[in-house]
DNA sequence: AGATATTTGTTCGTATGTATC
DNA sequence: GGATACATACGAACAAATATC
């Protein structure tokens, strides 16, 4: 069960919690963050989880590989 | 940037502009009109874009396929 | 190579709450 | 009070990318 605050949207609360985990090292660089993991942990809809992920991506905290998932850290270079 | 008139609602202004594009051939039959394209171009909320689309649909100018988008022209028959 | 499963990408349908005019 | 407008949040369907068998 999750305790939601009423003064902020759910996707912001989720995004902030994940950001804290990244900054504390709970989610180290390279850690995989999937939409399903988020929806399962917080019991939210996929669209809501995607908003949180999009925000984290905009912040440069993660990058996303279609068909695979999102990873903690900066977008790696293409070349070897 | 968009210049909004004050004497009409935004969704009407958007709908009228799109209608003009359809009638002038800028948007030919089969042209895809998505909610996102509208919200991006005019900087309006999705609900507002949906009101414009609903109006165009009521006018018979477009038809909508859930999960795909709205297309210029009459609703096609189901059977091949 | 081919089929299948998983995951993200995209889009519409619907509903609710809030604020403004 | 009603119409308009925005943000949020749920669900559903299908497409595309990726990985596995």
């Amino acid at each position: 069960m999750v305790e939601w605050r009423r003064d902020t949207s759910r996707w912001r609360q989720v995004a902030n919690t994940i950001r804290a985990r990244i900054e504390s090292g709970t989610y180290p660089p390279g850690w995989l963050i999937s939409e399903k993991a988020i929806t399962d942990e917080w019991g939210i809809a996929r669209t809501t989880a995607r908003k949180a992920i999009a925000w984290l991506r905009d912040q440069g905290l993660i990058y996303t590989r279609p068909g695979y998932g999102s990873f903690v850290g900066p977008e790696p270079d293409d070349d070897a």
Side-chain angles (χ1 to χ4, degrees), chain A:
Chain A
M1 276 293 294
V2 186
E3 299 288 330
W4 297 110
R5 292 199 309 274
R6 288 189 55 194
D7 59 346
T8 322
S9 60
R10 294 189 177 184
W11 71 262
R12 274 182 211 281
Q13 295 177 54
V14 170
N16 275 326
T17 301
I18 294 175
R19 184 192 53 175
R21 290 179 184 173
I22 292 173
E23 292 174 346
S24 70
T26 303
Y27 291 166
W31 183 276
L32 174 61
I33 297 174
S34 72
E35 295 178 358
K36 188 175 188 330
I38 295 177
T39 58
D40 285 352
E41 176 175 357
W42 278 279
I44 57 177
R46 189 187 162 206
T47 43
T48 306
R50 283 180 62 79
K51 287 207 79 167
I53 289 175
W55 184 84
L56 292 164
R57 192 167 45 233
D58 288 346
Q59 301 301 306
L61 293 170
I62 65 175
Y63 65 94
T64 302
R65 281 178 55 195
Y68 205 101
S70 296
F71 300 87
V72 174
E75 177 97 38
D77 285 349
D78 255 358
D79 49 85

